[in-house]
Amino acid sequence: MITAILFWVLTALAVAGGIAVFVVNSMARATYALAVSFVAVGAMIVMLHLDYIGVITILMMLMEMAVMAVFMVMFMGMNPALMPMDMTHNKRRSVILAVLVFVVLAAAIVFIPWPNRTGSPADDLTKSLGDAIMGSKMLVMLTISPVLFATIIAALVLANPKGRYDRYGDALDRRDVDGHPDPDDPIPGGLG
Amino acid sequence: MTLHLVLLVAAALFAVGLYGALSQQVVVMVMMGIELMINGVLLAGGALWWFLSPTPDGQTVLLVVLAAMTVEMAMGFAVATVVHRSRKSDMTDSATDLHG
């Protein structure tokens, strides 16, 4: 009974929070609404006995929302909590498409004859996950690691305010009269 | 709490996220929509795992989804930074150079 009530409360919070993100008229409120939605989904994942993944989701999303708020203030150049705005396009077609996708997914969920449960959960699910990623499923982690590393490098290269093309233009081997690299830096020096 | 109910919630989250990703003009808001969609996928994956085949290996798939979420966020912020720097704007409509 308590599980059912908790599930419906979390469902309401998750979906209402998600809708509120695109309904409220300030970005700060949208961020908080999304955080509420994420925490509710994380709690639902914990209810599915995925304690580790659920807690990680909640922690990760709360931090992400904090970072997102900083980016919004930075890019919008205003106090986003006080600035109502409506920055949308294709609103009607987006609603139609979203409703259509939900109807198709819901029809599939209802009409697919889902198979019966096979296998049984381990006694300690978190430990079994650790054993899996350090044992038979280590390749998954070995793949994710370079992807995350490549993401760090790609994000840094993109966000770098003064890359080599900004410093040298199209001629990356530009040299001065003495044969030294001749970048277009506001302050000379550095590693060249 | 049944498989059908959890999957329906996940589908609702996915649909709401899709609306946001399609309708919003600000890059960060588009990212919020994509985050909601991935969150729906994560919830659906958790439900399928628990109700259909709760073996230890299935959890690793959810870790991959979480990693995809992280990569999306990091690259989204980096692209938002580039667009803002070059266009002095954080709107998707100001970066339509490849629009056919």
Side-chain angles (χ1 to χ4, degrees):
Chain A
M1 181 64 183
I2 291 176
T3 311
I5 293 172
L6 193 61
F7 172 74
W8 285 112
V9 169
L10 291 174
T11 296
L13 280 176
V15 178
I19 293 172
V21 171
F22 306 112
V23 172
V24 294
N25 59 3
S26 94
M27 280 200 164
R29 291 187 192 110
T31 312
Y32 293 132
L34 192 61
V36 168
S37 176
F38 278 140
V39 170
V41 170
M44 284 165 93
I45 292 173
V46 171
M47 283 178 75
L48 290 166
H49 304 270
L50 287 161
D51 300 357
Y52 178 74
I53 307 256
V55 171
I56 286 282
T57 307
I58 292 173
L59 291 177
M60 206 175 95
M61 288 306 138
L62 285 180
M63 284 312 297
E64 184 179 329
M65 290 308 110
V67 173
M68 218 170 230
V70 171
F71 267 79
M72 281 176 187
V73 175
M74 197 162 74
F75 289 149
M76 300 298 282
M78 60 188 185
N79 183 347
L82 303 173
M83 195 73 77
M85 41 88 201
D86 178 31
M87 293 177 180
T88 54
H89 54 187
N90 274 339
K91 215 169 178 174
R92 204 168 139 264
R93 273 187 283 182
S94 304
V95 171
I96 293 171
L97 205 61
V99 171
L100 205 66
V101 166
F102 177 73
V103 170
V104 170
L105 288 176
I109 290 163
V110 172
F111 292 117
I112 285 176
W114 295 102
N116 291 323
R117 192 188 210 203
T118 54
S120 57
D123 294 333
D124 187 342
L125 288 167
T126 306
K127 183 177 179 300
S128 71
L129 174 62
D131 289 341
I133 60 177
M134 286 299 152
S136 61
K137 296 287 175 280
M138 190 181 265
L139 185 62
V140 178
M141 287 296 116
L142 288 177
T143 312
I144 289 178
S145 305
V147 169
L148 291 179
F149 185 65
T151 305
I152 294 172
I153 294 176
L156 281 175
V157 168
L158 278 177
N160 183 12
K162 215 154 170 57
R164 54 185 180 160
Y165 285 102
D166 301 307
R167 298 174 69 221
Y168 290 97
D170 290 336
L172 290 178
D173 55 353
R174 204 167 77 189
R175 306 269 161 178
D176 61 12
V177 285
D178 300 326
H180 300 301
D182 184 27
D184 183 21
D185 288 339
I187 300 170
L191 297 173
Chain B
M1 190 166 70
T2 63
L3 174 65
H4 289 86
L5 283 177
V6 183
L7 286 182
L8 281 171
V9 176
L13 287 173
F14 188 89
V16 172
L18 181 67
Y19 162 74
L22 291 176
S23 67
Q24 299 299 309
Q25 284 182 304
V26 180
V27 176
V28 181
M29 293 295 280
V30 174
M31 283 169 58
M32 284 187 173
I34 298 172
E35 292 280 315
L36 265 176
M37 290 166 76
I38 301 179
N39 220 23
V41 172
L42 191 68
L43 184 60
L48 289 171
W49 173 82
W50 177 249
F51 288 107
L52 295 186
S53 179
T55 54
D57 297 348
Q59 290 187 68
T60 48
V61 179
L62 299 177
L63 278 183
V64 174
V65 177
L66 268 179
M69 223 172 191
T70 317
V71 170
E72 177 265 320
M73 182 190 80
M75 293 312 295
F77 282 138
V79 170
T81 307
V82 173
V83 171
H84 187 262
R85 184 178 298 124
S86 62
R87 310 285 160 96
K88 301 292 171 215
S89 157
D90 62 344
M91 312 282 272
T92 53
D93 291 353
S94 68
T96 55
D97 306 40
L98 297 178
H99 191 268

